[in-house]
């Protein structure tokens, strides 16, 4: 059969099955993918916890929103990201995120030095300059879209800089990267799949041009350093997937961390004011957002052996869906978990960046970018308010605004 017809049929069947499990059998995982889950996934996570620490799911195997169980699974080496190929993320080769040790350990060790807080200490001034450059043209009076004006271009500028992508290629990178990033929510239509395949092909072409360039003219960037390890610690075939992962992991997540932080603050004028009064509180706002409205809502693992988890028999290879954002609202781990609180202290460590060996490699970079963005924003736009529409992304793995219209009303400025 024509592959596009097969694909179309799979998409339709997949959607019908999700709709059936969501509307008829009320499976929480299926409901998360429907309008209900986009609107308020947190009510669904609460329901999952009410049903138990580990709950069966007809579509995935098991699901959990318990902080204790999520953390245990992420740190248990009997769980794999790709047990017997049982997991198919459907988004192409994703390097580290789809690798178990020892390959994971080897490749992570090569990329890790570029992302330590120490290595990034020198990047703050450059990030501030990028943020200022983005804020400069935004209107001091009247409205603008925070996502396209600030949240989206910042991570692109930062990661292309860190990788050493020449400015001439960075626009193409951003365009193709955004298309591929949209696959995290699962292909939406046959046309979407066709666009994904094309973007993937183009991105690989642009990347190979960057590799060629850096082979001729090595610089003080990550691609040049990775190229120096090629053949020795890194297989040539592993280089492109690693760079693709760094690019996509950095794009599609940080934009939502910035969007979710600003949204949470603007919805609580007293907390916005607290950051305006003391911009150093921006770091606390970013951290609380990672807990309270995490950009990456879920991940999954599969055990490589039959085992018992939270008193339930889990057969080898069955998929365990981990609601990270749900775990972050678990009252057993955080007092008054549904409250967004800049002064929160104590409680467990949030799972906004996951845990265990796949703990987000870019966490220090993401924290710094979002903190600098919020710090500068409150300094330059202290009277910011929501003035227009909030449009959320259609996917439910990554959560955040796709459009967030804000501005400083002229009346407020005159007062
Ligand atoms: C707000 C921003 C970010 C969030 C919320 C986030 C979240 C996450 C999460 C939840 C995981 C683990 C997924 C799992 O356990 O299955 C992860 C892994 C990863 N992230 Fe991030 N991330 C962010 C930004 C970044 C940035 C800026 C980069 C790099 C440029 C990055 C690079 C990675 C990489 C390479 C991995 C895979 C690590 C491994 O498998 O060892 N992330 N991220």
């Amino acid at each position: 059969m024509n592959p596009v017809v097969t694909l179309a049929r799979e998409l339709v069947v997949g959607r019908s099955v999700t709709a059936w499990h969501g509307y008829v059998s009320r499976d929480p995982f299926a409901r998360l993918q429907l309008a209900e889950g986009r609107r308020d996934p947190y009510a669904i996570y609460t329901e999952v916890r009410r049903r138990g620490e580990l709950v069966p799911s007809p579509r995935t195997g098991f699901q959990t929103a318990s902080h204790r169980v999520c953390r245990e699974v992420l740190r248990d080496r009997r769980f794999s990201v790709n047990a017997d190929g049982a997991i198919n993320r459907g988004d192409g080769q994703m390097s580290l995120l789809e690798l178990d040790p020892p390959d994971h350990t080897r490749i992570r060790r090569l990329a890790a030095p570029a992302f330590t807080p120490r290595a990034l200490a020198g990047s703050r001034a450059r990030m501030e300059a990028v943020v200022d450059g983005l804020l400069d043209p935004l209107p001091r009076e009247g409205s603008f879209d925070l996502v396209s004006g600030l949240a989206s271009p910042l991570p692109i500028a930062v990661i292309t800089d860190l990788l050493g992508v020449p400015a001439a290629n960075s626009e193409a990178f951003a365009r193709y990267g955004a298309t591929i990033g949209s696959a995290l929510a699962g292909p939406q239509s046959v046309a979407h799949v066709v666009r994904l395949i094309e973007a993937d092909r183009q991105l690989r072409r642009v990347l190979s041009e960057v590799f060629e360039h850096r082979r001729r003219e090595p610089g003080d960037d990550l691609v040049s350093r990775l190229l120096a390890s090629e053949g020795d610690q890194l297989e040539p075939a592993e280089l492109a997937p690693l760079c693709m992962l760094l690019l996509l992991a950095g794009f599609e997540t940080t934009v939502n961390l910035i969007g979710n932080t600003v949204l949470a603050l603007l919805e609580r004028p007293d907390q916005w004011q607290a950051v305006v009064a003391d911009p150093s509180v921006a770091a606390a706002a970013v951290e609380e957002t990672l807990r309270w409205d995490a950009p990456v809502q879920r991940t999954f693992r599969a055990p490589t052996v039959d085992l018992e988890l939270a008193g339930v028999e889990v057969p080898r290879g069955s998929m365990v869906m981990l609601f990270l954002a749900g775990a972050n609202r678990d009252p057993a781990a955080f007092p008054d978990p549904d409250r967004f609180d800049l002064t929160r202290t104590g409680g467990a460590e949030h799972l906004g960046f996951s845990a265990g060996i796949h703990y987000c490699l870019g966490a220090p970079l993401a924290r710094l970018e979002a903190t600098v963005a919020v710090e500068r924003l409150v300094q330059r736009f202290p009277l910011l308010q929501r003035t227009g529409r909030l449009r959320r992304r259609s996917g439910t793995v990554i959560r955040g605004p796709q459009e967030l219209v804000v501005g400083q009303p002229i009346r407020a400025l005159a007062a």
Side-chain angles (χ1 to χ4, degrees):
M1 191 185 291
N2 177 327
V4 175
V5 175
T6 311
L7 197 63
R9 183 180 279 180
E10 280 171 10
L11 273 168
V12 172
V13 171
R15 281 208 183 139
S16 315
V17 172
T18 300
W20 163 264
H21 286 304
Y23 293 122
V24 181
S25 56
R26 305 293 293 152
D27 170 48
F29 177 58
R31 279 159 56 206
L32 279 172
Q33 295 165 73
L34 303 174
E36 180 190 357
R38 267 196 298 279
R39 228 179 11 252
D40 182 12
Y42 298 103
I44 299 179
Y45 300 142
T46 302
E47 198 187 309
V48 173
R49 260 196 312 276
R50 219 175 280 135
R51 289 196 198 178
E53 276 199 310
L54 188 67
V55 178
S57 168
R59 287 225 71 187
T60 63
F62 298 91
Q63 51 194 331
T64 176
S66 149
H67 186 277
R68 187 188 75 75
V69 175
C70 285
R71 188 170 176 276
E72 186 179 323
V73 169
L74 291 167
R75 295 164 64 96
D76 186 335
R77 298 292 280 270
R78 294 173 303 167
F79 280 88
S80 159
V81 288
N82 199 6
D84 301 335
I87 293 172
N88 175 12
R89 287 173 194 257
D91 49 6
Q93 213 183 337
M94 283 292 275
S95 189
L96 292 172
L97 274 174
E98 291 191 336
L99 295 175
D100 290 327
D103 288 339
H104 174 267
T105 323
R106 174 175 52 84
I107 297 180
R108 182 157 171 134
R109 208 172 277 151
L110 291 174
F115 293 94
T116 61
R118 204 152 161 237
L120 296 169
S123 328
R124 188 179 236 275
R126 156 123 182 86
M127 255 176 226
E128 285 173 351
V130 175
V131 171
D132 285 344
L134 292 168
L135 293 179
D136 282 342
L138 299 178
R140 247 180 66 73
E141 299 167 5
S143 296
F144 58 88
D145 173 21
L146 183 96
V147 178
S148 58
L150 173 68
S152 180
L154 174 64
I156 292 168
V158 170
I159 194 65
T160 48
D161 194 45
L162 196 112
L163 284 172
V165 176
N169 297 112
S170 64
E171 201 222 319
F173 248 71
R175 204 171 49 249
Y176 302 131
T179 306
I180 297 175
S182 65
L184 279 171
Q188 304 297 308
S189 63
V190 174
H192 188 196
V193 173
V194 172
R195 279 203 306 279
L196 285 174
I197 294 169
E198 179 56 16
D200 182 71
R201 205 171 61 82
Q202 295 291 353
L203 194 56
R204 283 171 198 279
R205 183 185 56 75
V206 181
L207 257 181
S208 64
E209 281 172 24
V210 174
F211 296 157
E212 279 307 301
H213 174 78
R214 290 299 170 197
R215 273 199 184 96
R216 281 195 314 272
E217 282 177 42
D220 181 28
D221 54 78
L222 185 56
V223 165
S224 298
R225 264 173 277 143
L226 291 173
L227 282 168
S229 325
E230 212 182 21
D232 180 12
Q233 295 130 296
L234 192 68
E235 297 290 325
E238 291 169 333
L239 183 62
L242 175 59
C243 291
M244 295 270 270
L245 171 62
L246 293 173
L247 192 74
L248 299 178
F251 272 11
E252 288 299 310
T253 47
T254 315
V255 46
N256 296 296
L257 179 56
I258 297 170
N260 289 354
T261 306
V262 173
L263 184 59
L265 290 172
L266 291 181
E267 282 178 347
R268 293 165 187 76
D270 58 321
Q271 310 237 1
W272 172 263
Q273 275 311 320
V275 191
V276 170
D278 178 5
S280 72
V281 176
V286 167
E287 210 55 40
E288 178 66 342
T289 304
L290 282 160
R291 183 198 70 83
W292 185 78
D293 199 12
V296 177
Q297 293 269 306
R298 59 177 182 260
T299 184
F300 43 78
R301 298 290 189 266
T304 51
V305 291
D306 295 343
L307 50 74
E308 194 188 297
L309 180 67
V312 178
E313 297 295 328
V314 179
R316 169 178 179 270
S318 44
M319 205 188 281
V320 181
M321 188 60 65
L322 308 171
F323 299 134
L324 303 175
N328 285 348
R329 300 273 194 113
D330 184 348
F334 303 95
D336 200 2
D338 292 326
R339 199 156 74 91
F340 180 86
D341 180 3
L342 293 180
T343 60
R344 182 175 289 278
T345 49
E349 270 182 40
H350 68 69
L351 299 179
F353 285 129
S354 190
I357 63 167
H358 292 278
Y359 180 83
C360 175
L361 184 65
L365 181 67
R367 283 192 170 108
L368 182 62
E369 276 180 60
T371 301
V372 168
V374 176
E375 267 175 19
R376 295 309 242 206
L377 187 69
V378 296
Q379 284 166 343
R380 304 274 296 270
F381 293 87
L383 301 173
L384 204 70
Q385 302 175 7
R386 275 190 56 195
T387 51
R389 75 175 174 161
L390 160 67
R391 193 157 51 89
R392 289 202 168 273
R393 300 169 145 259
S394 56
T396 55
V397 176
I398 307 269
R399 177 173 163 84
Q402 191 163 14
E403 186 183 3
L404 174 58
V405 178
V406 293
Q408 301 199 111
I410 299 167
R411 257 181 302 114
L413 278 171

